[in-house]
Amino acid sequence: MENKVLIVEDEESIRGFLKINFRKNDFVVIEAGSGEEGIDKARQERPSVVLLDVMLPGMDGFQVCEVLRKEFPDMGIIMLTARGQDIDRIKGLEFGADDYVLKPFNTTELILRAKSLLRRLGGNKANDRAETVNSGAFRIDVYSQRVFKDGTEIMLTPKEYLLLKLFLENQNKAFTRDELLDKIWGYDFIGDTKIVDVNIRRLRSKIEDKNSAAMYIETVWGTGYRWRKEQ
């Protein structure tokens, strides 16, 4: 299957440079110069990965990311941002991005991140068997990568799905943030552990009962997180 990358970037020089380098690495490249055009191209072409600039004319990258994540839960999204503040990086992750890269970036690193994301997304589908993982109210259909709570489907991003599956398969085991980075984002991930906390917070918002303390994913202070095994 061909790997399609959608580059949503309003600076034509950056877009053209990325296009040349991604094509050299066997990607089919699709381009968009605005957020609105990026959404249209994503709907038409269904890319595997989207490189999404934050500062775009019209809809900004955060708004585009939110739309794409709702419509395409399995699509990989990497935010490109010139902003160095943690709040901006965290905001992108909150809207559903899988990764972020700060400008000016190393093109080789960006391509490696895109390939790593593809391996994490595609490799799990290839290796999983037609089975289910069950725990209390939760059921995961591993083959289709669909998650249900009390029979109602929950829409998760690829990383949220992998986190939930790992927790359900290792109930009561405490994982450090570094372990979660290695298992979910891969050993070649270049980033900090904040991405783990943001994705855990997002996952909790989707699976925990409203207006209640964390019933399922417990924080292990000084360590990381674990899934509370039902008694």
Side-chain angles (χ1 to χ4, degrees):
M1 186 178 81
E2 62 183 6
N3 290 325
K4 289 184 181 181
V5 59
L6 169 60
I7 303 172
V8 187
E9 165 65 64
D10 62 315
E11 293 191 36
E12 189 174 351
S13 59
I14 296 177
R15 206 168 62 238
F17 181 72
L18 289 175
K19 177 172 67 174
I20 291 170
N21 284 275
F22 270 87
R23 281 181 173 173
K24 287 180 180 178
N25 283 268
D26 301 321
F27 281 84
V28 174
V29 178
I30 308 145
E31 300 178 70
S34 69
E36 292 83 355
E37 184 184 6
I39 292 172
D40 289 340
K41 290 289 182 68
R43 289 168 175 163
Q44 294 168 15
E45 301 288 345
R46 301 295 178 95
S48 307
V49 176
V50 178
L51 306 181
L52 180 58
D53 187 31
V54 170
M55 301 298 291
L56 293 169
M59 294 179 70
D60 66 25
F62 300 127
Q63 295 171 305
V64 176
C65 181
E66 185 176 28
V67 172
L68 293 181
R69 181 53 71 216
K70 287 180 179 177
E71 293 191 24
F72 309 105
D74 295 330
M75 190 176 287
I77 302 175
I78 301 176
M79 302 290 291
L80 307 177
T81 175
R83 303 177 181 181
Q85 296 182 357
D86 282 345
I87 188 65
D88 291 310
R89 285 180 271 177
I90 291 173
K91 186 177 178 181
L93 298 172
E94 292 280 13
F95 276 104
D98 296 292
D99 198 358
Y100 57 82
V101 175
L102 296 179
K103 293 180 177 179
F105 48 77
N106 181 292
T107 307
T108 301
E109 177 190 332
L110 180 57
I111 292 170
L112 287 175
R113 289 202 188 199
K115 288 182 176 180
S116 176
L117 183 55
L118 282 173
R119 286 196 300 272
R120 304 301 293 180
L121 300 180
N124 286 281
K125 291 181 180 179
N127 295 328
D128 284 339
R129 300 185 305 275
E131 59 182 26
T132 60
V133 178
N134 299 280
S135 175
F138 295 91
R139 178 174 65 86
I140 297 178
D141 184 321
V142 179
Y143 183 74
S144 65
Q145 295 194 359
R146 299 173 69 191
V147 176
F148 300 87
K149 180 182 179 183
D150 292 324
T152 300
E153 185 170 4
I154 302 172
M155 303 306 295
L156 302 180
T157 68
K159 292 296 186 290
E160 292 164 1
Y161 166 81
L162 292 174
L163 280 168
L164 181 61
K165 183 171 180 287
L166 179 67
F167 281 134
L168 292 189
E169 292 176 336
N170 299 272
Q171 296 181 39
N172 235 20
K173 173 177 170 53
F175 288 97
T176 67
R177 290 171 175 82
D178 286 334
E179 286 177 321
L180 292 173
L181 272 179
D182 290 343
K183 292 179 180 296
I184 305 303
W185 281 266
Y187 289 99
D188 51 359
F189 176 77
I190 306 170
D192 57 47
T193 57
K194 288 186 178 67
I195 196 170
V196 174
D197 298 324
V198 172
N199 277 271
I200 291 290
R201 184 162 64 248
R202 233 169 39 199
L203 178 58
R204 277 175 168 164
S205 72
K206 295 180 180 181
I207 67 170
E208 298 282 0
D209 295 330
K210 302 227 183 263
N211 302 319
S212 67
M215 292 178 56
Y216 305 110
I217 302 176
E218 296 181 309
T219 299
V220 182
W221 297 109
T223 303
Y225 302 95
R226 69 167 167 245
W227 185 271
R228 178 182 294 174
K229 187 174 182 178
E230 295 199 7
Q231 303 300 319

